Amino acid sequence: MAPRKIIIDTDPGQDDAVAILLALASPDEIDLLGITAVAGNVPLPLTQKNARIVCELAGKPETKVFAGCDAPLSRTLMTAEHVHGKTGLDGPPMVEPTMPLQDQHGVDFIIETLRSEPSGTVTICPIGPMTNIATALERAPDIVPRIQEIVLMGGAYFEVGNVTPAAEFNIYVDPEAAKIVFDSGAPLTVMPLDVTHKALTTKTRIDAFRALNTKVGDAVAAWTDFFERFDMEKYGSEGAPLHDPCTVAYLIKPELFQGRHINVEIETSSELTRGMTVADWWRVTDRPANAMFMKDIDATGFYDLLAERLARF
Ligand code: BDR
Ligand code: CA
């Protein structure tokens, strides 16, 4: 089968970085058409730079990286330096990238790509706030039926929230954008905290990255070590969730994940529950299903896949 054409929309972020590396390491399954950066974990000047740092680390400076939106649709940007550090990629020392940033705006790249590629052949993989995607869908509604699938990291049902008692970071930062994406009618697959909180970076798993004895293995081990501290303290767990690579892993090995096709609505008006993903897991409403909402992951299979693919660099 031909590799799946994807666009990664991202706010790197150490876990975003691992998602990008997993995609770049998997050319048989994934054809990465481009990376669009968005403001999220850190501001846009850092996320677009971090995306290029990761591509260079992977030895893929030819990857196209675009800068997209620098603020949510209608809210003030909230960042997460307390988790990801000042640069967004704190952990190992990183060199300034020399590969270019593309001139085109990330939103224009998304629209142009979906219009120029055959309909139903491009998948979008948002792993940050969905401002770029929502802007593209609003500006060019003709692209909606051309999208093969949107496979995103965001939201939660059983785990509820990580930045407020009710909301997960990517959705909370730009709930209006998330609402546009969830209401769009495009086929959605969602990796919520319910999945990612089962994909923990235990010591053995981090050691497996370090044991690769490569630049990439060392960087991934140092990144996961870095943000692990914050989450372990917060949750009292044996490791930290490696959120974003779940999306790319799903594109490579969908059998690692299990969920339900259900209705998911985004709360935008309440201050108390802003950004909540109201997931009808028990199908108690007659609202139509709009998302494949995942709940379970084969975490061992996921980390085996990661270690096997990262060993290719
Ligand atoms: C999400 O928020 C970010 O901090 C991570 O990169 C991930 O995309 C998890 O809530
Ligand atoms: Ca992210």
Side-chain angles (χ1 to χ4, degrees):
M1 225 170 42
R4 248 175 111 154
K5 290 181 245 185
I6 76 165
I7 297 171
I8 294 185
D9 187 71
T10 176
D11 60 340
Q14 294 90 346
D15 60 325
D16 302 73
V18 180
I20 294 169
L21 290 171
L22 181 58
L24 289 173
S26 307
D28 289 345
E29 295 92 352
I30 288 175
D31 177 7
L32 183 57
L33 301 178
I35 297 175
T36 50
V38 69
N41 286 324
V42 285
L44 183 68
L46 289 172
T47 59
Q48 59 88 348
K49 182 168 98 174
N50 290 347
R52 290 182 294 132
I53 288 176
V54 176
C55 294
E56 283 192 356
L57 173 72
K60 307 269 184 193
E62 68 282 8
T63 311
K64 289 185 181 159
V65 175
F66 303 81
C69 300
D70 63 1
L73 295 183
S74 55
R75 313 237 182 196
T76 308
L77 175 66
M78 186 189 99
T79 52
E81 284 88 355
H82 61 294
V83 183
H84 300 274
K86 242 193 157 131
T87 65
L89 277 187
D90 277 20
M94 285 289 154
V95 287
E96 287 291 304
T98 56
M99 65 177 272
L101 178 68
Q102 301 293 311
D103 291 335
Q104 195 179 23
H105 192 282
V107 170
D108 294 328
F109 171 72
I110 293 169
I111 294 172
E112 194 186 283
T113 306
L114 279 154
R115 282 180 176 162
S116 61
E117 294 288 339
S119 184
T121 65
V122 176
T123 292
I124 306 177
C125 214
I127 52 178
M130 282 180 277
T131 321
N132 288 341
I133 314 304
T135 307
L137 300 184
E138 288 273 275
R139 204 180 287 165
D142 58 290
I143 65 175
V144 174
R146 304 183 66 84
I147 298 171
Q148 182 176 11
E149 191 177 357
I150 297 177
V151 181
L152 67 98
M153 190 279 136
Y157 176 66
F158 295 94
E159 291 282 325
V160 197
N162 62 357
V163 280
T164 74
E168 180 279 329
F169 179 81
N170 289 342
I171 309 287
Y172 181 80
V173 170
D174 198 345
E176 285 74 20
K179 183 169 170 49
I180 289 169
V181 173
F182 276 78
D183 290 353
S184 69
L188 297 183
T189 296
V190 182
M191 294 295 163
L193 297 179
D194 309 306
V195 167
T196 68
H197 281 191
K198 292 170 187 145
L200 297 180
T201 58
T202 59
K203 186 174 177 316
T204 324
R205 289 166 178 169
I206 296 182
D207 285 347
F209 297 140
R210 199 168 281 116
L212 295 175
N213 235 331
T214 59
K215 252 165 71 182
V216 168
D218 288 348
V220 172
W223 281 330
T224 39
D225 261 345
F226 179 86
F227 75 82
E228 192 174 49
R229 268 174 263 152
F230 172 81
D231 276 322
M232 282 170 75
E233 241 170 67
K234 181 173 166 193
Y235 297 112
S237 53
E238 52 163 342
L242 197 52
H243 307 279
D244 294 338
C246 291
T247 54
V248 179
Y250 168 78
L251 293 172
I252 300 171
K253 275 195 159 188
E255 63 273 19
L256 293 176
F257 300 90
Q258 280 185 337
R260 286 187 186 177
H261 192 229
I262 56 168
N263 175 268
V264 182
E265 304 287 331
I266 309 294
E267 175 58 58
T268 54
S269 53
S270 153
E271 262 319 297
L272 192 61
T273 56
R274 159 184 164 183
M276 186 172 194
T277 42
V278 181
D280 190 4
W281 183 261
W282 302 111
R283 298 194 177 108
V284 292
T285 73
D286 53 11
R287 293 194 286 257
N290 59 346
M292 185 66 198
F293 198 81
M294 295 300 182
K295 177 168 178 282
D296 289 308
I297 177 174
D298 168 358
T300 305
F302 169 70
Y303 276 94
D304 286 350
L305 175 71
L306 268 179
E308 179 223 314
R309 296 301 161 105
L310 296 180
R312 295 176 173 182
F313 290 116

